[in-house]
Amino acid sequence: MSRQVASWTPWLLSPQLPWLTWVGLRCQRCLCLHIPLARHLSRPPSLVPVYPSGYPIVRPSVFSSTQSFTCLGTLGPREAPRGFDYYFGIPYSHDMGCTDTPGYNHPPCPACPRGGRPSRNPEKDCHSDVALPLYENLSIVEQPVNLSGLAQKYAEKATQFIQRASASGRPFLLYVGLAHMHVPLSRTLLSAEPGGRRPYSAALREMDSLVGQIKDKVDLTAKNNTFLWFTGDNGPWAQKCELAGSMGPFTGSWQTRQGGSPAKQTTWEGGHRVPALAYWPGRVPVNVTSTALLSVLDIFPTVVALAGASLPQGRHFDGLDASEVLFGRAQAGHRVLFHPNSGAAGEDGALQTVRVERYKAFFVTGGARACDGSVGPERHHEPPLIFNLDDDVAEAAPLDRGSAEYQRVLPEVRAALSEVLEDIAGDNTSRADYSQDPSVTPCCNPHQTACRCQAA
């Protein structure tokens, strides 16, 4: 399961997740890589459909037809007939359509219009006046979705699926794309919070409860034969201020001195280093922290390997089978990773940062929008800025270009970048275009301004 979780989450506010850190494995260097722009997770595109929301998910068709597959949460309804037996959720991020329960957000996102015309407001922070739909398979069951009750719906669907799959004796795969900890945060969460918790803390507690319900159901039905992998898809969204969480030590200090935010949408550590927890009693070691460099790109090949299936031949995969790391038998993760721009400075999708073991080289720098509204300027670096992350996780001071360490690392960085670019140029890349697909803006009732299909 994966969705937005801040890089440095205050676990002590939530009982379930810190418990998992003690009974499972913690990944110290897990990166999200902003997958939608990380070239070709797997090819051809039929394996990895990328929806307008920008979130790809691997198609489980490489597995046996005797297995059961369910997807809950953020994905896209067109995935339902492409391998999943069941889908329940919203088609993209929950700030990409209006609702009647918009929640906490900066700037505010007003509720869906109820009159005969759109309520377009240039000051608001919503993508569309089209109401956010809730899908069950290919049918819209609620539009606009009530965000206040969505987490509990996911918990109920997940536990029901686990119960049915376990009773049938069939192996299963459950993908849960949580809305947490993405903004907007639900306004109803605070009512049950002791001591008047802040919105972020309340949302974190709700996410923790949802994860706990899923884990408890697994423990009751198939505890020793089920692998649970929890991670996030980017660091905190700094422009949302106190609603976004904290970057902890991953402060991108070099960038903050230039201006803007080094969090979400950037290639600084605060933008893409995320928490990751692995849990499988009897298989994953207890209370262990791995220093292996891993990525969410690794989830697909790892799950395929654990299921005893094989990856399709004749295609390149950017992820690796991380099962040896997860089971505590190795510490060898990626040697090289590359990070494309995904919304901050530079060309969208262009490679701008290269990671080689503990070193990280920036060819382009720039900050995303910060809480104070500032945006860091775009700067190109040739030769690149290189940071030693083992010594400087805050990315405060790049190596001196005249130092022996810099001169030793630079050829390795250039060789890694050259190899990546050559691989991309010689490979098949997706040319899929979903922008003209009618499901891009699903509407259950086009006669209503906001596509409303439930009683007011």
Side-chain angles (χ1 to χ4, degrees), residues 311-456:
L311 293 172
Q313 298 298 308
R315 301 170 191 165
H316 297 181
F317 293 88
D318 296 326
L320 54 80
D321 175 8
S323 55
E324 291 296 293
V325 173
L326 297 173
F327 296 151
R329 296 194 289 258
Q331 283 293 328
H334 289 272
R335 178 180 177 272
V336 174
L337 286 171
F338 52 92
H339 310 307
N341 168 48
S342 65
E347 179 187 353
D348 233 19
L351 302 187
Q352 63 183 45
T353 307
V354 177
R355 176 74 180 267
V356 179
E357 296 177 332
R358 58 180 168 172
Y359 296 100
K360 190 170 171 189
F362 287 82
F363 290 88
V364 181
T365 57
R369 190 173 302 278
C371 178
D372 62 6
S374 65
V375 178
E378 178 179 327
R379 295 182 59 180
H380 294 255
H381 305 273
E382 184 52 59
L385 300 179
I386 299 180
F387 295 84
N388 182 335
L389 295 183
D390 279 0
D391 299 335
D392 183 17
V393 73
E395 296 171 301
L399 300 177
D400 187 312
R401 287 190 171 100
S403 69
E405 185 177 17
Y406 185 95
Q407 294 301 319
R408 175 178 58 81
V409 174
L410 182 59
E412 296 183 42
V413 168
R414 293 202 185 284
L417 179 59
S418 176
E419 183 178 344
V420 166
L421 293 176
E422 183 178 349
D423 181 33
I424 293 174
D427 198 13
N428 297 319
T429 56
S430 172
R431 293 181 174 82
D433 178 11
Y434 294 97
S435 63
Q436 304 303 314
D437 195 306
S439 67
V440 171
T441 53
C443 188
C444 66
N445 184 356
H447 300 293
Q448 291 284 337
T449 301
C451 299
R452 193 178 297 274
C453 64
Q454 59 181 18

Side-chain angles (χ1 to χ4, degrees), residues 9 17 77 94 121 158 187 202 227 317 367 432:
T9 304
L17 290 172
H94 64 299
N121 180 347
R187 289 188 178 275
F227 172 53
F317 293 88

Side-chain angles (χ1 to χ4, degrees), residues 131-348:
L132 187 66
L134 176 64
Y135 271 88
E136 186 164 26
N137 295 320
L138 295 179
S139 299
I140 296 176
V141 295
E142 187 178 49
Q143 192 175 17
V145 62
N146 185 342
L147 294 177
S148 301
L150 191 58
Q152 189 54 38
K153 285 187 174 75
Y154 287 164
E156 292 169 359
K157 294 291 185 181
T159 53
Q160 290 169 7
F161 169 73
I162 293 170
Q163 181 65 46
R164 289 196 302 268
S166 299
S168 70
R170 299 171 64 194
F172 66 86
L173 183 148
L174 171 64
Y175 171 85
V176 183
L178 302 179
H180 304 77
M181 295 291 295
H182 200 287
V183 178
L185 304 177
S186 174
R187 289 188 178 275
T188 62
L189 293 169
L190 299 183
S191 59
E193 284 296 312
R197 291 188 184 275
R198 293 177 297 177
Y200 186 89
S201 301
L204 182 64
R205 183 174 290 274
E206 181 183 62
M207 179 190 72
D208 182 78
S209 174
L210 195 162
V211 173
Q213 291 180 64
I214 294 174
K215 186 199 72 67
D216 290 346
K217 175 57 68 172
V218 166
D219 285 348
L220 286 172
T221 56
K223 180 175 182 178
N224 296 319
N225 198 33
T226 302
F227 172 53
L228 188 153
W229 193 338
F230 174 92
T231 189
D233 76 350
N234 54 245
W237 200 355
Q239 75 179 86
K240 302 299 181 179
C241 304
E242 74 276 8
L243 303 180
S246 167
M247 292 184 294
F250 312 113
T251 54
S253 299
W254 188 94
Q255 181 59 56
T256 56
R257 291 194 296 270
Q258 318 302 313
S261 159
K264 176 180 175 178
Q265 296 183 311
T266 76
T267 60
W268 299 95
E269 290 297 285
H272 61 208
R273 187 181 288 227
V274 293
L277 306 173
Y279 171 71
W280 190 349
R283 299 289 300 275
V284 171
V286 174
N287 194 20
V288 170
T289 298
S290 172
T291 59
L293 182 61
L294 298 179
S295 161
V296 292
L297 292 166
D298 305 328
I299 294 177
F300 179 44
T302 301
V303 171
V304 169
L306 292 178
S310 299
L311 293 172
Q313 298 298 308
R315 301 170 191 165
H316 297 181
F317 293 88
D318 296 326
L320 54 80
D321 175 8
S323 55
E324 291 296 293
V325 173
L326 297 173
F327 296 151
R329 296 194 289 258
Q331 283 293 328
H334 289 272
R335 178 180 177 272
V336 174
L337 286 171
F338 52 92
H339 310 307
N341 168 48
S342 65
E347 179 187 353
D348 233 19

